[in-house]
Amino acid sequence: MKKTLSILAAMMLFLFSTSCNSEDNPNAVPPDAIYAMVTFMGNTESGSEFEYQENNLSQPVTLLYKGTVDTNVFPKGCRLLIVFTYQSTSTADGGWIDIYQVAKAYNAGLEYGTSASTDGWKTSPLSMLGMWLTGDYLNVNCSLNINNKFNKYTLVADEATLDTEMPSLYLLFEPDMAGLIRPSQMFASFNIGSLWEREGVKGFTVDFYSQEWNSHRTLRFKRDSKGEFEMDVVQN
């Protein structure tokens, strides 16, 4: 009987544990487990497939799992975070894996706007835990003060900078203030592939309002001589 990875639709912000091989502690995560943002490619007769790209320079590989994903909740093409290990017959080039935990990511594309259209890039504070690139995707791990939902969480490119080598992007967040507000960890994956299609683009910056600094912070992603992206903090 096949296992099913069922992602809780109404609680998309939280980790959902799945079955693994250990009968003593089915939720135990091995110390060598890999935490990765992947794309769900669909279910097959033998299980389910995920596309995984370790970093911006590596080639995408296919991960295979002997279980299925509930496509009524999580359609083909969606992004999610999985915690996994390779089975003994697999390698870093892909193959069969064991999955221990799954987090449903917030999936979105890149939007376009101006300072005027966004009320001066108006946004609420968030706690940034991580930001990294894998191919066309900018992945974000942060803590948001929300009540399990929000009015806005978008990545917006400043139209005035699109023809420059370093377009400016803004991570804009607006919580729904009704109900109990509490910190919630959230993973997001923004498809910024349209940015790479523009001629002359060598990188970009991402601005957000930091809860810890109580001010705007800007991260800069720039290609080095090898084509790999370096990230640093721009002094605001």
Side-chain angles (χ1 to χ4, degrees):
M1 181 177 178
K2 289 184 179 180
K3 293 172 284 187
T4 298
L5 299 183
S6 179
I7 313 298
L8 301 180
M11 301 294 288
M12 69 179 184
L13 309 180
F14 305 103
L15 285 174
F16 175 72
S17 297
T18 63
S19 57
C20 66
N21 292 334
S22 172
E23 296 181 357
D24 298 329
N25 186 359
N27 294 327
V29 177
D32 61 342
I34 300 169
Y35 293 70
M37 196 75 78
V38 299
T39 302
F40 170 52
M41 303 304 291
N43 294 321
T44 67
E45 292 184 357
S46 57
S48 53
E49 296 184 357
F50 307 89
E51 185 178 86
Y52 168 48
Q53 189 168 357
E54 183 178 2
N55 55 57
N56 194 66
L57 285 181
S58 62
Q59 293 297 314
V61 299
T62 299
L63 304 179
L64 306 171
Y65 175 68
K66 292 181 180 179
T68 57
V69 170
D70 186 348
T71 55
N72 292 321
V73 177
F74 209 49
K76 180 180 177 179
C78 284
R79 300 277 288 173
L80 67 159
L81 180 84
I82 62 173
V83 181
F84 75 96
T85 56
Y86 287 105
Q87 295 184 1
S88 58
T89 56
S90 302
T91 68
D93 293 326
W96 292 99
I97 62 172
D98 293 316
I99 295 180
Y100 300 89
Q101 290 182 329
V102 176
K104 184 173 182 180
Y106 175 71
N107 291 240
L110 181 63
E111 299 185 12
Y112 299 87
T114 64
S115 177
S117 68
T118 59
D119 193 16
W121 309 112
K122 183 179 179 181
T123 186
S124 295
L126 55 82
S127 180
M128 183 61 65
L129 304 175
M131 184 182 294
W132 68 103
L133 273 171
T134 49
D136 287 342
Y137 294 95
L138 180 67
N139 307 298
V140 180
N141 176 14
C142 65
S143 178
L144 307 175
N145 291 321
I146 56 176
N147 62 350
N148 293 337
K149 58 182 179 179
F150 44 81
N151 292 330
K152 179 172 63 178
Y153 187 51
T154 58
L155 185 66
V156 183
D158 183 358
E159 293 177 354
T161 67
L162 290 179
D163 293 328
T164 67
E165 293 183 350
M166 297 285 292
S168 300
L169 311 184
Y170 293 82
L171 188 60
L172 305 181
F173 164 59
E174 179 185 329
D176 182 336
M177 300 304 294
L180 177 63
I181 305 296
R182 60 182 180 183
S184 297
Q185 185 177 6
M186 180 175 178
F187 296 93
S189 195
F190 297 95
N191 190 329
I192 61 172
S194 60
L195 198 65
W196 305 138
E197 297 173 1
R198 304 189 68 87
E199 186 177 353
V201 171
K202 296 182 179 180
F204 57 91
T205 60
V206 183
D207 178 276
F208 62 94
Y209 197 95
S210 169
Q211 181 171 298
E212 289 77 15
W213 290 85
N214 195 28
S215 66
H216 285 269
R217 305 294 287 175
T218 302
L219 301 180
R220 176 171 51 197
F221 291 82
K222 188 175 182 179
R223 282 193 178 100
D224 61 18
S225 59
K226 297 180 181 179
E228 187 172 357
F229 276 92
E230 297 177 334
M231 186 188 75
D232 62 356
V233 179
V234 179
Q235 295 299 323
N236 294 81

